[in-house]
């Protein structure tokens, strides 16, 4: 199972800003997960394609070609606006 | 010390804490961020704003802040560092963020406090939204914050991945 | 606001004062200088130091501080500035100087506070002496302070005579 | 009358760090006053000759060739060590 979290403006595309997938979409990279979500929901796909969106796997920001394994927590992060 | 909390904080308490660093503490810098007028924050016209809300990524936020503080301690000799960031609903005039640094000399304390604030604005996992006319609007990072943070980066390094060394 | 006084000051009170600048205040920076271990200050070995004493030039000190604050307000948009400097006898750990700045944005508040401190160290009419073994010893200005202050000078201008303009 | 003030390490050359002169030594400049004081007290003369010592007339730092008039307050200032 993959736990997917959406923060900031991305949160509106999933109830409570989160969803669960039974397994990582092939070929099992962060980019594949992003593309899979975009295929299901075009609005989300467009929001995730914004160049400043980052992906974190298990709370660590990673490259889009990083692998995703069963049990991972994947988070999509728009640009932060803290402080 | 890192705290992420909905509760307000007390500058005087945090300051006294930083003062406890021993006879070598000669300089204490505090930065306090306050929520400015909402409509100013949202930076465009429209229905008046009802609330400001801060979301964070629990777990990851703390990890990023620990990284940031470790980096500050690598760069400067500090006897104390405190970072507090509030989450949840805030109103104009509320305290939103606190950074305090204690050092032997003022240059270190100033540089570290500014560094921490620049990174908090650009690297820590916080998102601000305003609610107006019954709708949520997420705020964008300001270019000025991006530029401020980039001062601390060294050539040929990834943003936020540069270790020790003075500016 | 400028205060030169033998009495201690209360950071929390000064902070609340700076917070009263209205809905536009988004950033408050405070700097507090503490008296470090005397022998460290004197920076050489010998009999242990009994007291630290601060002398000033009444009248001229206030005038110089007013100039410095005017210069800071020319350079940066500030909604509040407070400078407090203690005089008379102090002991290790005592608060000796306070600079507080309030502004819409943190960059201004930080820069102004640092600017004011650099100038307080090099331009304001204060002199520190220590007493040890029954004798008074006057302390010398540190090269690091001279260098810190020179950052703010612009080419072709006399030290301390440069008016407005950003760094 | 000229009121002369000595601050910091210069204070030890005058009781309570101050003295009074009936008139400005000729030709009536800050440098002339400094030289006059140095002629009376060699130790003070040496201390005033330090390159970092500044002179203020009526609480305004001035050049050494600035004039001094009857009634002025003249202060000799070693490098400051505030904060």
């Amino acid at each position: 199972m993959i736990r997917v979290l959406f923060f900031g403006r991305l949160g509106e595309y999933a109830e409570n800003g989160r969803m669960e997938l039974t397994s990582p979409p092939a070929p099992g990279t962060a980019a594949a997960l992003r593309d899979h979500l975009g295929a299901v929901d075009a609005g989300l796909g467009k929001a995730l394609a914004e160049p400043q969106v980052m992906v974190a796997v298990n709370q660590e920001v990673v490259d889009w070609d990083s692998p995703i394994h069963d049990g991972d927590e994947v988070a999509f992060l728009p640009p932060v606006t803290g402080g | 010390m890192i705290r992420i909390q909905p509760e307000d904080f007390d500058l005087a308490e945090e300051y006294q804490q930083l003062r406890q660093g021993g006879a070598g503490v000669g300089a204490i810098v505090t930065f306090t961020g306050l929520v400015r007028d909402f409509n100013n924050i949202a930076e465009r016209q429209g229905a008046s704003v009802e609330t400001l809300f801060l979301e964070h990524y629990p777990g990851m936020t703390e990890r990023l802040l620990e990284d940031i503080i470790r980096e500050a301690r690598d760069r400067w000799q500090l006897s104390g560092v405190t970072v507090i960031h509030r989450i949840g609903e805030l109103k104009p005039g509320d305290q939103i963020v606190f950074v305090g640094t204690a050092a032997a000399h003022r240059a270190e304390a100033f540089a570290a406090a500014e560094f921490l604030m620049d990174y908090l604005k650009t690297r820590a996992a916080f998102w601000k939204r305003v609610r107006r006319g019954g709708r949520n609007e997420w705020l964008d990072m300001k270019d000025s914050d991006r530029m401020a943070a980039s001062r601390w980066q060294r050539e040929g390094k990834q943003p936020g991945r540069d270790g020790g060394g003075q500016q």
Side-chain angles (χ1 to χ4, degrees), chain A, chain B:
Chain A
M1 198 201 63
I2 307 294
R3 194 176 172 211
V4 188
L5 306 178
F6 302 90
F7 290 95
R9 66 178 79 246
L10 301 174
E12 68 187 77
Y13 296 99
E15 208 179 317
N16 298 320
R18 59 186 59 204
M19 57 176 74
E20 291 182 355
L21 297 184
T22 47
S23 62
T29 63
L33 174 58
R34 178 192 57 193
D35 296 345
H36 169 79
L37 294 169
V40 174
D41 179 337
L44 176 55
K46 197 167 169 242
L48 290 176
E50 291 283 330
Q52 289 170 358
V53 169
M54 295 193 299
V55 64
V57 175
N58 300 326
Q59 307 193 348
E60 195 81 55
V61 173
V62 296
D63 294 332
W64 287 103
D65 57 5
S66 296
I68 291 171
H69 304 104
D70 191 40
D72 281 350
E73 175 178 290
V74 181
F76 292 101
L77 315 170
V80 300
T81 51
Chain B
M1 210 233 329
I2 298 168
R3 294 198 331 252
I4 297 165
Q5 58 186 41
E7 297 79 26
D8 201 4
F9 52 83
D10 178 1
L11 180 80
E13 263 175 45
E14 303 308 328
Y15 171 69
Q16 289 307 330
Q17 194 69 37
L18 290 163
R19 240 181 121 168
Q20 304 313 312
V25 180
I28 297 176
V29 170
T30 73
F31 175 88
T32 311
L34 305 175
V35 178
R36 290 191 297 139
D37 172 69
F38 290 147
N39 292 296
N40 192 343
I41 288 172
E43 272 164 7
R44 54 184 162 113
Q45 304 300 319
S48 99
V49 174
E50 291 132 38
T51 60
L52 174 72
F53 190 87
L54 260 130
E55 183 186 61
H56 78 309
Y57 184 171
M60 183 161 175
T61 314
E62 288 82 351
R63 181 179 306 191
L64 288 172
L65 288 180
E66 276 163 24
D67 286 354
I68 290 168
I69 288 178
R70 197 173 306 117
E71 218 171 294
R73 286 185 174 280
D74 279 351
R75 286 174 182 241
W76 300 285
Q77 279 290 121
L78 303 172
S79 52
V81 178
T82 302
V83 171
I84 304 172
H85 205 300
R86 291 181 68 189
I87 49 170
E89 204 170 299
L90 298 172
K91 55 182 202 309
D94 278 355
Q95 301 184 130
I96 176 169
V97 60
F98 173 85
V99 165
T101 54
H105 304 286
R106 72 185 183 289
E108 271 106 345
F110 270 119
E114 234 180 322
F115 168 85
L116 289 167
M117 272 311 302
D118 286 350
Y119 274 61
L120 271 168
K121 287 275 187 181
T122 52
R123 219 170 108 191
F126 292 99
W127 295 271
K128 270 181 194 155
R129 70 162 193 251
V130 292
R131 187 168 182 83
R132 63 164 131 202
R135 289 171 53 98
N136 291 329
E137 264 175 51
W138 293 94
L139 301 183
D140 291 317
M141 192 193 293
K142 287 188 293 184
D143 287 340
S144 59
D145 287 331
R146 239 190 301 275
M147 282 176 60
S150 70
R151 299 187 270 178
W152 307 102
Q153 288 159 17
R154 296 190 300 167
E155 266 182 24
K157 296 269 188 161
Q158 283 298 305
R161 298 288 163 199
D162 54 331
Q166 295 283 128
Q167 185 190 17

